[in-house]
Amino acid sequence: MALENASSPSLSPPTLFAHLITIASPSTIKHAISNTAIKIKNIALDDPRRVTHSLKVALAITLVSMVYYLQPIYNGIGDAGMWAILTVVVVFEYTVGATLSKGMNRGFATLLAGALGVGAEAFGSLFGPTIKPIVLGFLVFFLVGAGTFSRFIPSIKKKYDYGVLIFILTFSLVAVSGYRVDKIIQLAHERLSTIIVGGLTCIIISICVFPVWAGEDLHKNMVKNLEKLASFLEGFGNEYYRVSDGDKSFLTAYRSVLDSKATEESLANFAWWEIGHGKFRFRHPWKQYLKIGVYTRQCAYHIEALSGYLHAKDEIPSEFQKIIQEPCIKMSSETGKALKELANSMNLMVHPLSSSIHIENCKKAVDDLNTTYKVSMVEDQWDILENISVIAATSILVDIIKCVEQISEAIEELSKQAHFKKPKDKTSNEAGKPHILHRGAVKPVGVENEQELVTVTVSSGDEVLHEART
Amino acid sequence: MALENASSPSLSPPTLFAHLITIASPSTIKHAISNTAIKIKNIALDDPRRVTHSLKVALAITLVSMVYYLQPIYNGIGDAGMWAILTVVVVFEYTVGATLSKGMNRGFATLLAGALGVGAEAFGSLFGPTIKPIVLGFLVFFLVGAGTFSRFIPSIKKKYDYGVLIFILTFSLVAVSGYRVDKIIQLAHERLSTIIVGGLTCIIISICVFPVWAGEDLHKNMVKNLEKLASFLEGFGNEYYRVSDGDKSFLTAYRSVLDSKATEESLANFAWWEIGHGKFRFRHPWKQYLKIGVYTRQCAYHIEALSGYLHAKDEIPSEFQKIIQEPCIKMSSETGKALKELANSMNLMVHPLSSSIHIENCKKAVDDLNTTYKVSMVEDQWDILENISVIAATSILVDIIKCVEQISEAIEELSKQAHFKKPKDKTSNEAGKPHILHRGAVKPVGVENEQELVTVTVSSGDEVLHEART
């Protein structure tokens, strides 16, 4: 912050001087320190796993360095210990998947590049000491160039970017090391073993001590994103008709979904490396999450367009708007409920069932809306001009219903691929296409953070079809 | 690709076997190789700077390793040479800004951590050989923990993430090195000098040999994004009324804008580190680009909602739709022209002037539309129900005009901050708020790639106000 201020070109020297005096006054310093402390505290409280992660990394490095420091074989820390510390520092990432990805990339790339490097050394030696540097120079130039270019290939960039980097590094080091082959092999053995020690330390601590799984994070992220959209849509109707008060944070929460692509893709990439954990098997269909993500964002874009009609109007609803109030509120709240249901079933990893009821209800509300439009148009002569924004808002709501149907299909597909628990449905014949039941009553009880107690009760006639507790 | 297939859990052993045989057949191999070759060629053709970058990295590493290899002081490559190669491999990034950022982070972090490490060693020695490892262990644990946590602080993560990583690495290495202080200082001197050699090699090659400037890329990206939105809007009207044929790629090109946030932010971050280059001074207002980016995406979200109304209708335009054809096509094409103008003025770094004419024209078209609505509603009795989507599309178009106004204001602000050339306007009194001129004729001639020849001619009466050629 201070750095940015100081480098601002608009401060003339006297202003800058006054500025520095202001900065240096004791009260300003005190203020700045307490501000920073509050910021740091918030970052820690925002996600306490950040503190745990910091302690884990500190533990891993202290462990590795102490082992090498105390080992009586080395007089002080040797080359080998250095490589172990270096490995821990660069390999230990926030999530298990990222750590595994980096560790395995590093290990295999070192092995491959080491072998190729020894080969290059031996090949170069065939030409005698004068030409050898030239031959090696060409080999290094060619392989480094090819390696660097390969990092632009999307499939390599996605999963093996770090491996290629380490390959380039190790090959260059080994090829021009100037050692005889037997000495290289001894060195390589030593270095590889320390890399393995460092890498394994990271991986073990990362998995065993409060693990942060990229897959679990991705899963929770998707659920949260769906819930954010659901909250907006559930609240939109009341907000549009000014019949609600209180906390309005749900009106802006959806915005983070708009930019969720990068996070989702990197989490899905890391999740690919992870072993089975918790509810997730090894090779959980993480790719399908990306598809759900695409449709979720699609929905968010429409919500963004819809939200414009909310802020545009501070006045009381028009007569025309009031006439379509019931189907309008119904459409938005039922879409919200459908999304909340989908989020819930994804969270509990059960087959989405009752969401289809809400989608059907949405469609009924659309029919109602159309009927209302038809009737009111014949009875009263409404001025289109005054009601363009109302008509547009309802039209976007209809588009949102289509988006929610797409999300629903994608989650349905996920539930097949990931073998979600099927509800013990006694009446419906096809699990994939549930009957439209009389009514679906969903009571989420205290949906907060990890520990959820959700009772999903879908009653067909008098029969309770499904009850899930986690 | 092959790896992903092989690891797919759905392949049963016999299928897998058949699959492998298919893979191994000569024709398949030939096919796969030619496919890969085509892919690689496309990646290279897509942005030839990728090839240049690969050659630059290869050159830097070959240079550094050859210098150390051929140096007669070292018998074979020493520790020092190793650090130079390592520095080049990890510091040399695609853009100048990223290379500068990594190089400077690495240099300063090594310096600071080295000094602190020596201090820690000296401090530890005060306690005698038995307690020293414990004291050092605590120091390492504390500083590594604090350093790792600081990487979660957004302002540090943005610009100094790599520096903190190197700080952690160097401090751990030096603190537990077990050497006496004088030996450490000698080692540190050697290591720092090799890091400086490696870093400078990267920075010099990166800047002098076909430089890729993050700032320039950001600038061009923004221009391209604006042009993509402009092309969609210019073409939308004709597409909506099915009066166009030919290339329809403009209908989907805007989609890349939706997910442009991550790229823009990282480019702006790297651009912050760059020295002045080409049209850009040191400390060009890159932050303002991010603001323009926000509004550009806002506009893209609305376009995404609008595009739904395009694909929904394959049938011929309705009667009602035809009545509003003229203002509708005008609205969309004038918005497109305004955006294209803004993109052009940003590209040429001249004050945006003629875009306001198009925005005024848009507003006139909106008035025309409203008049048409009013008249047609009185004369004919249109069924709203049949025309909801038409009304909604026009309403979204009006929202897009608002977005374009925001973009225009943000670019206006940028043109002030970055001191864009002002057109030599003889008639308008206020440069900020130009008069609405008779007509603005803009003829982009062959707007392709870098080498553009654009003639911007804004005529007021018979006078040519401004002509810019780059």
Side-chain angles (χ1 to χ4, degrees):
Chain A
M1 256 333 227
L3 215 149
E4 272 172 38
N5 278 338
S7 66
S8 159
S10 60
L11 287 177
S12 62
T15 329
L16 184 69
F17 191 65
H19 192 64
L20 283 175
I21 286 177
T22 326
I23 283 176
S25 81
S27 71
T28 325
I29 292 174
K30 208 173 158 188
H31 190 67
I33 290 176
S34 75
N35 258 358
T36 314
I38 290 170
K39 260 187 210 163
I40 290 175
K41 200 181 144 197
N42 285 341
I43 290 168
L45 287 178
D46 208 37
D47 192 348
R49 296 180 303 174
R50 288 168 177 165
V51 180
T52 331
H53 173 70
S54 307
L55 295 178
K56 277 158 68 182
V57 175
L59 177 69
I61 290 178
T62 313
L63 265 182
V64 168
S65 56
M66 284 300 118
V67 164
Y68 279 91
Y69 188 71
L70 297 174
Q71 219 173 20
I73 313 169
Y74 295 96
N75 189 6
I77 196 160
D79 236 26
M82 196 195 78
W83 280 96
I85 294 179
L86 202 148
T87 303
V88 172
V89 172
V90 295
V91 163
F92 210 134
E93 292 275 334
Y94 186 53
T95 60
V96 176
T99 309
L100 275 168
S101 153
K102 274 201 152 178
M104 289 168 81
N105 262 308
R106 193 179 179 94
F108 286 110
T110 306
L111 204 62
L112 182 66
L116 274 180
V118 171
E121 258 285 325
F123 178 71
S125 300
L126 296 177
F127 295 88
T130 330
I131 305 178
K132 189 182 167 192
I134 302 171
V135 172
L136 282 179
F138 268 107
L139 278 175
V140 167
F141 186 88
F142 177 74
L143 266 172
V144 170
T148 308
F149 184 78
S150 78
R151 294 176 69 193
F152 290 110
I153 300 170
S155 52
I156 289 181
K157 192 180 178 62
K158 234 169 72 180
K159 294 209 170 76
Y160 310 107
D161 192 61
Y162 185 67
V164 176
L165 190 82
I166 294 299
F167 175 86
I168 292 172
L169 173 64
T170 311
F171 178 79
S172 313
L173 286 183
V174 174
V176 298
S177 66
Y179 293 127
R180 292 227 323 274
V181 170
D182 50 349
K183 175 129 197 237
I184 290 187
I185 289 175
Q186 187 211 318
L187 251 181
H189 172 251
E190 203 179 286
R191 193 153 296 171
L192 197 66
S193 66
T194 49
I195 286 180
I196 290 173
V197 166
L200 277 184
T201 310
C202 293
I203 291 172
I204 290 169
I205 291 185
S206 166
I207 292 180
C208 300
V209 187
F210 299 107
V212 177
W213 299 97
E216 201 183 336
D217 263 26
L218 177 63
H219 185 85
K220 282 187 184 156
N221 251 11
M222 304 292 308
V223 172
K224 254 184 219 158
N225 283 351
L226 289 173
E227 278 169 357
K228 280 175 191 168
L229 301 191
S231 301
F232 179 93
L233 290 167
E234 278 194 323
F236 174 80
N238 291 337
E239 196 56 33
Y240 194 56
Y241 286 99
R242 258 83 60 198
V243 292
S244 74
D245 262 324
D247 181 33
K248 308 256 166 160
S249 62
F250 69 90
L251 287 175
T252 48
Y254 76 91
R255 279 194 195 146
S256 66
V257 182
L258 296 168
D259 301 314
S260 56
K261 195 189 178 199
T263 317
E264 274 171 21
E265 286 191 345
S266 87
L267 282 178
N269 256 339
F270 294 141
W272 184 85
W273 292 90
E274 283 174 355
I275 51 175
H277 56 279
K279 305 177 278 185
F280 312 103
R281 290 174 307 114
F282 180 60
R283 297 277 170 268
H284 189 74
W286 300 116
K287 267 194 177 175
Q288 185 62 23
Y289 281 76
L290 294 183
K291 266 188 207 162
I292 300 174
V294 169
Y295 294 129
T296 310
R297 275 190 297 282
Q298 194 80 18
C299 188
Y301 299 149
H302 281 90
I303 288 182
E304 174 73 11
L306 184 63
S307 75
Y309 296 99
L310 207 51
H311 304 296
K313 305 207 135 208
D314 275 334
E315 71 272 28
I316 49 161
S318 67
E319 278 305 305
F320 179 75
Q321 206 175 337
K322 273 185 192 156
I323 284 178
I324 55 164
Q325 176 159 358
E326 208 197 309
C328 223
I329 288 189
K330 185 121 193 154
M331 269 161 73
S332 99
S333 73
E334 287 292 324
T335 336
K337 277 179 196 159
L339 272 179
K340 203 149 255 176
E341 259 310 288
L342 287 167
N344 251 336
S345 73
M346 212 172 142
N347 190 25
L348 300 172
M349 295 183 84
V350 293
H351 207 79
L353 189 69
S354 48
S355 68
S356 57
I357 303 161
H358 294 295
I359 292 178
E360 286 307 318
N361 287 345
C362 289
K363 287 180 180 168
K364 266 184 226 153
V366 175
D367 290 341
D368 288 351
L369 177 76
N370 288 343
T371 318
T372 316
Y373 268 143
K374 211 169 241 161
V375 172
S376 73
M377 278 300 134
V378 176
E379 285 174 3
D380 322 278
Q381 281 309 316
W382 296 107
D383 187 359
I384 286 192
L385 203 53
E386 278 173 15
N387 299 303
I388 286 180
S389 77
V390 179
I391 296 170
T394 58
S395 172
I396 295 175
L397 261 176
V398 173
D399 288 340
I400 288 175
I401 296 175
K402 283 177 210 152
C403 291
V404 172
E405 278 190 287
Q406 280 181 315
I407 295 175
S408 165
E409 276 161 29
I411 291 180
E412 191 103 14
E413 177 63 33
L414 174 71
S415 84
K416 273 179 210 152
Q417 288 181 15
H419 311 293
F420 279 7
K421 278 169 277 174
K422 289 229 170 92
K424 289 159 206 121
D425 192 337
K426 286 177 197 163
T427 50
S428 96
N429 301 323
E430 270 182 271
K433 288 177 185 171
H435 285 304
I436 296 151
L437 302 166
H438 287 219
R439 198 130 291 276
V442 182
K443 300 177 206 126
V445 185
V447 186
E448 256 172 32
N449 287 332
E450 266 77 296
Q451 302 249 313
E452 279 143 69
L453 176 73
V454 182
T455 323
V456 182
T457 326
V458 180
S459 54
S460 165
D462 290 333
E463 212 167 49
V464 172
L465 283 183
H466 176 241
E467 193 153 319
R469 247 169 234 271
T470 47
Chain B
M1 252 340 221
L3 215 151
E4 270 171 41
N5 279 337
S7 64
S8 160
S10 58
L11 288 177
S12 62
T15 329
L16 185 68
F17 191 64
H19 192 65
L20 283 175
I21 286 177
T22 325
I23 283 177
S25 82
S27 72
T28 326
I29 292 174
K30 208 173 158 188
H31 191 68
I33 289 176
S34 74
N35 259 359
T36 314
I38 290 169
K39 259 187 212 162
I40 290 175
K41 200 180 145 197
N42 285 340
I43 289 168
L45 287 179
D46 208 38
D47 191 349
R49 296 181 303 174
R50 288 169 178 164
V51 180
T52 331
H53 173 70
S54 307
L55 295 177
K56 277 157 69 181
V57 175
L59 177 69
I61 291 178
T62 313
L63 266 182
V64 168
S65 56
M66 283 299 118
V67 165
Y68 280 90
Y69 187 71
L70 298 175
Q71 219 172 20
I73 313 169
Y74 295 95
N75 190 6
I77 196 160
D79 236 27
M82 196 197 78
W83 280 96
I85 294 178
L86 201 148
T87 303
V88 172
V89 172
V90 295
V91 163
F92 211 134
E93 292 275 335
Y94 186 54
T95 60
V96 176
T99 309
L100 275 168
S101 153
K102 274 202 152 177
M104 288 169 82
N105 263 307
R106 191 177 180 94
F108 285 110
T110 306
L111 204 62
L112 184 65
L116 275 179
V118 171
E121 259 284 326
F123 179 71
S125 301
L126 296 177
F127 295 89
T130 329
I131 307 179
K132 189 181 167 192
I134 302 170
V135 173
L136 282 180
F138 268 107
L139 278 175
V140 167
F141 186 86
F142 176 74
L143 266 171
V144 170
T148 308
F149 184 79
S150 78
R151 294 176 70 193
F152 289 111
I153 300 170
S155 53
I156 289 181
K157 191 180 177 62
K158 234 168 73 179
K159 294 207 171 78
Y160 310 108
D161 193 59
Y162 185 66
V164 176
L165 189 82
I166 294 299
F167 175 87
I168 292 172
L169 173 63
T170 311
F171 179 79
S172 314
L173 286 183
V174 174
V176 298
S177 65
Y179 293 127
R180 292 227 324 274
V181 170
D182 50 349
K183 176 131 194 235
I184 291 187
I185 289 175
Q186 188 213 319
L187 253 181
H189 173 252
E190 205 178 286
R191 193 154 297 171
L192 197 66
S193 66
T194 49
I195 286 181
I196 290 172
V197 167
L200 277 184
T201 310
C202 293
I203 291 172
I204 290 169
I205 292 183
S206 165
I207 292 180
C208 299
V209 187
F210 299 109
V212 177
W213 300 97
E216 201 184 336
D217 264 25
L218 177 62
H219 185 85
K220 281 186 185 157
N221 251 12
M222 303 293 306
V223 172
K224 255 184 218 157
N225 284 351
L226 289 173
E227 278 169 356
K228 281 175 191 169
L229 301 190
S231 302
F232 178 93
L233 290 168
E234 278 194 322
F236 173 80
N238 292 336
E239 196 57 34
Y240 193 57
Y241 285 100
R242 258 82 61 197
V243 291
S244 74
D245 262 323
D247 181 32
K248 308 255 165 159
S249 61
F250 70 89
L251 288 175
T252 48
Y254 76 90
R255 280 192 194 149
S256 66
V257 182
L258 296 168
D259 301 314
S260 57
K261 195 187 177 200
T263 317
E264 274 171 19
E265 285 191 343
S266 87
L267 282 178
N269 257 339
F270 294 142
W272 185 85
W273 292 90
E274 285 173 355
I275 51 175
H277 57 278
K279 306 176 279 185
F280 312 103
R281 290 173 307 115
F282 180 60
R283 296 276 169 270
H284 189 74
W286 300 117
K287 268 194 175 173
Q288 185 64 20
Y289 281 77
L290 294 182
K291 267 189 205 162
I292 300 173
V294 169
Y295 295 129
T296 310
R297 277 189 296 282
Q298 194 81 19
C299 187
Y301 300 148
H302 281 90
I303 288 182
E304 175 74 11
L306 183 64
S307 75
Y309 296 99
L310 207 52
H311 304 296
K313 305 207 135 206
D314 275 335
E315 72 271 28
I316 49 161
S318 66
E319 279 304 306
F320 180 75
Q321 207 175 337
K322 273 184 192 157
I323 284 178
I324 55 164
Q325 176 159 359
E326 209 197 308
C328 223
I329 288 189
K330 186 121 193 156
M331 267 161 75
S332 100
S333 73
E334 287 292 325
T335 337
K337 276 178 195 160
L339 272 179
K340 204 148 255 178
E341 259 311 287
L342 287 168
N344 250 336
S345 74
M346 213 172 140
N347 189 24
L348 300 172
M349 297 184 82
V350 294
H351 207 78
L353 188 70
S354 47
S355 67
S356 56
I357 303 162
H358 295 294
I359 291 178
E360 285 307 318
N361 288 344
C362 289
K363 286 181 180 168
K364 266 183 224 152
V366 175
D367 290 341
D368 288 350
L369 177 76
N370 288 344
T371 317
T372 317
Y373 268 143
K374 212 170 242 162
V375 172
S376 72
M377 278 300 135
V378 176
E379 285 173 2
D380 322 278
Q381 283 307 320
W382 297 108
D383 187 357
I384 285 194
L385 203 54
E386 277 174 16
N387 299 303
I388 285 179
S389 78
V390 179
I391 296 170
T394 58
S395 173
I396 295 175
L397 261 177
V398 173
D399 287 340
I400 288 175
I401 296 175
K402 283 178 211 151
C403 291
V404 172
E405 278 190 287
Q406 280 181 315
I407 295 175
S408 164
E409 277 162 27
I411 292 181
E412 191 104 14
E413 176 63 34
L414 174 72
S415 84
K416 272 179 211 151
Q417 287 180 14
H419 311 293
F420 279 8
K421 277 170 279 172
K422 287 225 171 94
K424 289 164 206 114
D425 193 337
K426 287 176 195 164
T427 50
S428 94
N429 302 324
E430 271 179 272
K433 289 177 185 171
H435 285 303
I436 296 153
L437 303 165
H438 287 218
R439 198 128 290 276
V442 182
K443 302 178 204 125
V445 186
V447 186
E448 256 172 33
N449 288 333
E450 266 77 297
Q451 303 248 313
E452 278 144 70
L453 176 74
V454 183
T455 323
V456 182
T457 325
V458 180
S459 55
S460 165
D462 292 328
E463 212 168 47
V464 172
L465 284 183
H466 174 243
E467 195 153 320
R469 250 169 231 271
T470 47

